[in-house]
Amino acid sequence: MIRIVNETQLKEFFRNLDQDEVSTIGLKFPMGLKDYTSWLEPSGHRVYLVFRDTESQKPRGIVFTRTHSHTDGISKMCDWCHSVRGGDSIGLLSARASQNLTIGVELCTDLSCKEKLAHTPGVNDVRETLSPDEKIERLLKKMSDFARHHLF
Ligand SMILES: [Zn+2]
C-alpha cells in the first residue's frame, strides 16, 4: 500500500504537461494506493487515473479526456479489463502524449474496471479462468504498458 499524504504529492505522479489539469476536488488525504484509483472531474469532462506501475512499483498519473460518442447500443470491449458493455459505459478516452498528439483507447469511461472485475461477469464478457488477483495484475500491466509506450 502506497500512502499519499496530500495533493502536492499526488500531482507529482503526473507529468508536468498534465499537472495543471488535475482536479482533486472530492479526494480525501491521506489516501492509500493499493493497485489504482480513479476519479472524475466534477464536470465529468476528464477522468484521472493513478496506478502502481508494475515494473517500478511507483505510482503514475494519467489525465484522460472523455469523448462522448453515440454508439447506438453497440457493445464495446474495454481494452484494459475486457468487460463488454453497451451504451456509454465503454468509450474513447484520450490522453495527451505531447502538446499536439493525443492517444485514444477504448476503456470503461469511469475507469471502474476494478469494480467490474470484482463482480460476476456480464453476459457478454469473455469467459476467462484467471483469478481476481491475476486479473488486477493484468489490468495494472495494461495501464503500465500504455503509460510507458505512449506517455512517460
Ligand atoms: Zn474496463
Side-chain angles (χ1 to χ4, degrees):
M1 183 78 83
I2 299 157
R3 200 173 128 92
I4 303 169
V5 293
N6 57 31
E7 184 176 333
T8 310
Q9 187 193 359
L10 180 75
K11 286 194 176 180
E12 283 169 2
F13 303 142
F14 290 82
R15 297 169 302 155
N16 291 337
L17 182 71
D18 287 334
Q19 283 178 357
D20 288 345
E21 292 183 348
V22 179
S23 162
T24 57
I25 295 168
L27 296 184
K28 290 199 177 70
F29 296 98
M31 58 193 274
L33 182 73
K34 183 165 172 268
D35 34 56
Y36 82 91
T37 185
S38 61
W39 68 100
L40 289 173
E41 191 180 44
S43 70
H45 182 58
R46 294 194 178 94
V47 58
Y48 306 105
L49 170 71
V50 172
F51 66 97
R52 173 172 56 79
D53 184 273
T54 50
E55 273 185 29
S56 68
Q57 301 299 320
K58 293 201 177 88
R60 278 180 165 166
I62 304 177
V63 176
F64 283 108
T65 303
R66 304 163 99 186
T67 312
H68 287 282
S69 55
H70 281 284
T71 52
D72 298 325
I74 298 166
S75 290
K76 293 183 180 177
M77 186 173 85
C78 171
D79 194 47
W80 285 354
C81 71
H82 297 179
S83 295
V84 178
R85 298 286 185 282
D88 290 336
S89 40
I90 294 171
L92 192 67
L93 295 184
S94 316
R96 285 199 296 176
S98 66
Q99 288 293 358
N100 31 23
L101 178 67
T102 58
I103 306 285
V105 59
E106 298 276 351
L107 298 175
C108 299
T109 49
D110 55 359
L111 294 177
S112 64
C113 299
K114 188 164 51 177
E115 285 76 29
K116 290 195 175 72
L117 291 179
H119 291 121
T120 317
V123 284
N124 295 320
D125 288 351
V126 182
R127 299 283 162 211
E128 295 187 298
T129 53
L130 296 178
S131 73
D133 284 349
E134 287 169 334
K135 286 185 181 176
I136 291 282
E137 271 310 306
R138 182 180 62 186
L139 180 63
L140 287 176
K141 181 145 190 339
K142 289 258 184 189
M143 292 172 174
S144 305
D145 287 348
F146 177 83
R148 187 166 296 113
H149 289 154
H150 299 299
L151 310 179
F152 284 86

